[in-house]
Amino acid sequence: MKLLFLFLLGLWSCRVKPIHPHPLDPLTPSEFNLVQTILQKSYPSSIKNLTLQYIGLDDPDKPLILSWLSSSNSKSKPPPRRAFVVARDHVHKQSLEITVELSTYSIVSSKIYTGHGYPLLTSDEQTVVSLLPFSYEPFIESVKKRGLNISEVVCSTFSVGWFGEEKTKRVLNLLCNYMEGTANLYMRPLEGVTIVVDLDEVRIVKYVDRFIVPMPKAEGTEYRASKLKPPLGPKLKGITVTQPDGPGFKIDGHTVSWANWAFHLGFDVRAGPIISLASIFDVKEQKYRRVLYQGFISEVFVPYMDPTEEWYYETFFDSGEFGFGQSASSLEPFTDCPANAAFLDAYYASSDGTPVKISNVFCIFEKYAGDVMWRHTEILIPGQVITEVRPDVSLVVRMVSTVGNYDYIIDWEFMPSGSIKLGVGLTGILEVKGATYTHTDQIKEDVYGTLLADYTIGVYHDHFLAYYLDLDIDGEANSFIKNNLETEKVKHHSSPRKSYWTVVSETAKTEADARIKLGLKASELVVVNSNKKTKPGNKVGYRLLPGSIIHPLLLNDDYPQIRGAFTNYNVWVTPYNKSEKWAGGLYADRSRGDDTLAVWSLRNRDIENKDIVLWYTMGFHHVPCQEDFPVMPTLRGGFELRPTNYFESNPVLKTQSPKNVYSPNCSSHP
């Protein structure tokens, strides 16, 4: 019970600290209000001209957290609790970086950002500028000449990237869609119309209406169940997971404990879910062991492949520009998450600092889909048939981020075996452009996409998701090893075999050694603690089992790829640095690629036996197809962090199966 109590408090080092809040807890509504008050008092003359683009926890430096966790004093104070703020001064057109210490109600640092790029876009400012066209006469005329009803038009914001300009302004493009006859407005674009708005000045600064093409039809685009007409598809029978004894996990604040796992679940307006201090209980050693200090999606790069005037700029940074957390959706019980799920709320700050609540932003549930944890049937023992099977139950933490037309389903799945599976599901609605075509036979040139329906082309594009994974395998001092699988010739004549493969291990000494394009060479990639070994002498570690491997197909000197150069390799390893958090840079909007993972790594720092961070980029090349119309079935991908010589033997050998729940479909019951 004592271990469980410590587990629930989210302690990495088995120390009771019940008095103070956990230093990695996200900012609370009262703390957002406090930040707002402090800024109002500190900037009384200019607060009306400031918008708060980002407010988040200023994470204490990692050594401070580890020192606090290892303190023998159960009442020791945690590191100072601070908020990091990026504000925008619209009068002077400057971005300010402000650090607020909450306990002393003071600003501990403030500076003007002088680099390239702009901060996270807020929902408030995007809403305001998206309404500008409806009082703009040229736009009203464009709608009229297309024979459309302006009351059925809606406009949305699109970041514009950077294409070599010496000077940039903080602008967005507006593209508009038609709602008449359907809720699927993305399938009915007003093609040919581009509106450029200045966010600082809140006005339209450029307007282009280049051409008119037929409006795609509303027919066949509806996706709401209540609006669909027969014939309907198959009706699925009811299904659920029954837990008569209640859930097997416990939530205490932001700390989650389940089976042999404990971790801290945070939330950030930019990153969305942040998993910290993940530890697993080793049955043989009778203690919790460190695995992951912190992990989150650092950036999501989505370049579209249409170079025409209306489309070339669509090269989005969904996290750094629009915010995965800010774009999070409230999850629906029984549909987004199963019946046995528990739900948690989250908060972020609006542009004036007021707390905004997202209800049910996370769901946490035990998952059982009939999978097998391990099994064996033995028939060679005379007179016996031995069958041993253990069902595979896992714990899932889920969030859904709806960035415009796309819905991203983000899962962190913890397995009793010690594995952490990270899953991504892509669904929602395609980004389409209007065209004059109704059949592929009419197409004589490259249209940069697939004809999905009359006048509707789904544009080719990519999704790159870059994960930040600060693994601490039994401690901070880790190394990155490439276990290369190499073919060897049989050199002696005692075997009829001519070849075999063997493992040749290579320890990455510097950052350059660790950059990897997956799929070019057979290898296993392992983060190890060289200072900790198993009884047979193997280094304890966790390996990366990749999935959804893609490489960028844009030229390296293309402007979007310069900004998204962190996708040039699937794997990077860097030494821990608190300031190196966002793979695409802190100021991703209109960035120039000069503050990215690819740039930091050029320092080629030592990474052997250091506190290191593993960066992994997975993704999808998306060639739209008709099955993606009018709404896209979920496309799934993911990867796994799997223990490798971390345990002395199978860690789930003695796992006890869950209590059987009677099923009428079984022919016999124990």
Side-chain angles (χ1 to χ4, degrees):
M1 287 301 294
K2 182 180 178 182
L3 283 174
L4 179 60
F5 176 65
L6 297 171
F7 206 15
L8 294 175
L9 289 172
L11 307 176
W12 235 15
S13 56
C14 293
R15 299 286 190 270
V16 182
K17 299 182 184 292
I19 296 176
H20 303 285
H22 198 289
L24 294 180
D25 283 355
L27 297 178
T28 64
S30 61
E31 288 175 324
F32 283 125
N33 287 329
L34 180 57
V35 171
Q36 184 185 47
T37 300
I38 294 170
L39 293 177
Q40 288 171 346
K41 290 182 177 179
S42 302
Y43 300 92
S45 61
S46 58
I47 192 66
K48 291 183 179 179
N49 300 317
L50 290 179
T51 55
L52 308 180
Q53 307 298 135
Y54 174 89
I55 304 180
L57 178 70
D58 183 29
D59 284 18
D61 206 16
K62 183 176 177 180
L64 292 177
I65 294 284
L66 296 179
S67 175
W68 176 75
L69 288 170
S70 63
S71 170
S72 59
N73 183 358
S74 64
K75 296 183 180 180
S76 63
K77 288 186 178 181
R81 193 155 169 80
R82 294 176 173 177
F84 179 65
V85 180
V86 178
R88 183 68 181 171
D89 181 343
H90 297 280
V91 173
H92 299 96
K93 298 185 178 180
Q94 296 174 331
S95 297
L96 308 178
E97 297 179 359
I98 305 166
T99 302
V100 179
E101 186 157 327
L102 300 173
S103 60
T104 60
Y105 311 101
S106 62
I107 291 177
V108 295
S109 70
S110 178
K111 68 176 183 178
I112 297 172
Y113 173 68
T114 58
H116 299 126
Y118 301 103
L120 184 74
L121 302 164
T122 69
S123 297
D124 296 335
E125 64 187 343
Q126 292 180 74
T127 299
V128 169
V129 298
S130 67
L131 299 176
L132 292 176
F134 298 97
S135 58
Y136 189 69
E137 197 58 38
F139 177 73
I140 296 171
E141 284 299 315
S142 292
V143 173
K144 282 182 180 178
K145 72 181 183 182
R146 286 168 169 77
L148 305 177
N149 182 352
I150 198 166
S151 67
E152 296 285 351
V153 175
V154 63
C155 299
S156 55
T157 53
F158 290 72
S159 55
V160 301
W162 173 72
F163 293 88
E165 305 94 325
E166 284 191 21
K167 293 184 178 181
T168 61
K169 292 185 176 181
R170 193 163 174 262
V171 298
L172 292 176
N173 279 1
L174 299 181
L175 298 183
C176 304
N177 300 79
Y178 200 50
M179 298 185 294
E180 186 177 64
T182 181
N184 197 341
L185 55 97
Y186 290 106
M187 285 297 147
R188 308 197 75 195
L190 271 70
E191 201 66 44
V193 174
T194 302
I195 309 160
V196 183
V197 296
D198 188 304
L199 285 170
D200 288 326
E201 299 176 5
V202 194
R203 67 184 182 92
I204 294 173
V205 294
K206 183 179 179 182
Y207 184 81
V208 177
D209 186 352
R210 269 204 329 136
F211 57 84
I212 298 175
V213 295
M215 173 60 65
K217 301 173 183 177
E219 181 183 357
T221 64
E222 186 58 74
Y223 56 82
R224 291 172 292 181
S226 61
K227 302 291 183 180
L228 298 178
K229 299 177 180 179
L232 300 176
K235 184 173 178 62
L236 303 177
K237 297 289 186 180
I239 188 170
T240 190
V241 173
T242 301
Q243 294 185 282
D245 299 324
F249 60 88
K250 295 183 180 179
I251 304 171
D252 182 9
H254 292 272
T255 297
V256 181
S257 61
W258 171 80
N260 48 354
W261 279 104
F263 57 89
H264 182 277
L265 172 60
F267 176 83
D268 180 77
V269 67
R270 178 168 176 167
I274 298 178
I275 302 293
S276 301
L277 307 179
S279 298
I280 190 166
F281 186 73
D282 188 320
V283 174
K284 287 192 174 181
E285 295 195 14
Q286 285 292 294
K287 68 178 183 180
Y288 292 105
R289 298 173 62 190
R290 296 160 60 175
V291 176
L292 178 72
Y293 177 77
Q294 195 166 79
F296 55 88
I297 294 176
S298 177
E299 191 53 86
V300 182
F301 179 39
V302 188
Y304 281 76
M305 297 298 127
D306 187 333
T308 60
E309 184 173 333
E310 284 73 28
W311 278 80
Y312 74 90
Y313 59 85
E314 293 206 12
T315 53
F316 307 122
F317 285 64
D318 280 352
S319 178
E321 292 171 344
F322 298 99
F324 247 37
Q326 180 173 241
S327 304
S329 300
S330 293
L331 299 175
E332 296 288 337
F334 306 107
T335 51
D336 282 320
C337 310
N340 61 324
F343 294 83
L344 296 176
D345 304 331
Y347 297 85
Y348 68 93
S350 66
S351 58
D352 68 356
T354 303
V356 178
K357 179 180 179 180
I358 307 177
S359 299
N360 294 355
V361 74
F362 294 126
C363 71
I364 302 174
F365 59 93
E366 287 167 284
K367 174 183 173 183
Y368 176 59
D371 296 324
V372 173
M373 180 187 292
W374 65 265
R375 82 173 314 281
H376 180 62
T377 296
E378 182 57 70
I379 60 173
L380 290 181
I381 299 175
Q384 294 187 57
V385 175
I386 300 172
T387 298
E388 289 284 330
V389 185
R390 301 292 183 272
D392 205 8
V393 180
S394 61
L395 184 77
V396 176
V397 176
R398 174 170 296 167
M399 191 193 87
V400 172
S401 186
T402 302
V403 187
N405 54 302
Y406 259 104
D407 294 63
Y408 294 87
I409 304 166
I410 307 301
D411 284 353
W412 287 77
E413 185 174 3
F414 295 84
M415 318 293 291
S417 62
S419 284
I420 305 174
K421 293 184 177 180
L422 298 94
V424 176
L426 271 62
T427 180
I429 299 169
L430 292 174
E431 188 79 34
V432 303
K433 72 172 185 176
T436 59
Y437 311 109
T438 58
H439 196 278
T440 56
D441 289 347
Q442 301 167 339
I443 301 174
K444 305 301 180 184
E445 67 283 333
D446 195 341
V447 294
Y448 318 110
T450 304
L451 185 65
L452 303 173
D454 289 354
Y455 317 125
T456 306
I457 291 176
V459 179
Y460 306 142
H461 59 281
D462 296 323
H463 298 265
F464 296 93
L465 295 98
Y467 281 80
Y468 173 104
L469 301 163
D470 183 358
L471 290 162
D472 277 5
I473 307 303
D474 263 350
E476 305 97 87
N478 288 180
S479 298
F480 181 66
I481 293 181
K482 294 178 277 187
N483 287 325
N484 300 313
L485 279 55
E486 297 185 1
T487 302
E488 296 284 350
K489 290 184 178 180
V490 176
K491 297 177 181 178
H492 50 79
H493 302 291
S494 60
S495 172
R497 288 279 296 276
K498 295 183 177 181
S499 63
Y500 63 98
W501 63 259
T502 190
V503 175
V504 178
S505 295
E506 175 187 353
T507 300
K509 306 289 187 183
T510 66
E511 292 176 90
D513 297 336
R515 299 177 202 137
I516 296 173
K517 293 183 178 180
L518 293 170
L520 305 181
K521 191 175 186 179
S523 59
E524 285 198 341
L525 308 177
V526 190
V527 175
V528 303
N529 188 328
S530 300
N531 310 300
K532 303 284 182 70
K533 295 183 179 180
T534 60
K535 289 180 180 178
N538 294 308
K539 298 172 184 177
V540 302
Y542 261 70
R543 60 180 152 158
L544 170 70
L545 296 182
S548 306
I549 298 171
I550 67 168
H551 304 127
L553 300 176
L554 298 178
L555 297 176
N556 284 338
D557 63 351
D558 197 356
Y559 292 107
Q561 194 57 39
I562 292 172
R563 298 175 67 217
F566 55 88
T567 65
N568 288 342
Y569 296 91
N570 303 102
V571 176
W572 309 70
V573 178
T574 62
Y576 167 81
N577 185 322
K578 178 186 172 182
S579 67
E580 296 177 4
K581 188 172 184 178
W582 309 112
L586 174 59
Y587 295 86
D589 183 35
R590 309 216 70 186
S591 62
R592 302 189 182 186
D594 52 6
D595 178 32
T596 69
L597 170 60
V599 172
W600 311 331
S601 183
L602 290 175
R603 284 176 278 179
N604 202 24
R605 295 160 290 186
D606 292 337
I607 58 171
E608 186 179 13
N609 203 30
K610 304 285 186 182
D611 188 359
I612 56 177
V613 175
L614 175 71
W615 304 77
Y616 174 65
T617 297
M618 59 161 285
F620 309 85
H621 294 305
H622 193 171
V623 177
C625 60
Q626 287 185 250
E627 288 79 4
D628 296 334
F629 175 88
V631 65
M632 180 181 162
T634 301
L635 175 64
R636 293 179 175 86
F639 62 100
E640 181 177 345
L641 300 172
R642 186 178 179 92
T644 299
N645 301 316
Y646 186 81
F647 298 101
E648 292 293 340
S649 61
N650 181 350
V652 289
L653 175 67
K654 297 182 180 180
T655 296
Q656 302 173 67
S657 295
K659 178 181 177 181
N660 290 325
V661 179
Y662 174 76
S663 170
N665 296 323
C666 294
S667 58
S668 62
H669 297 277

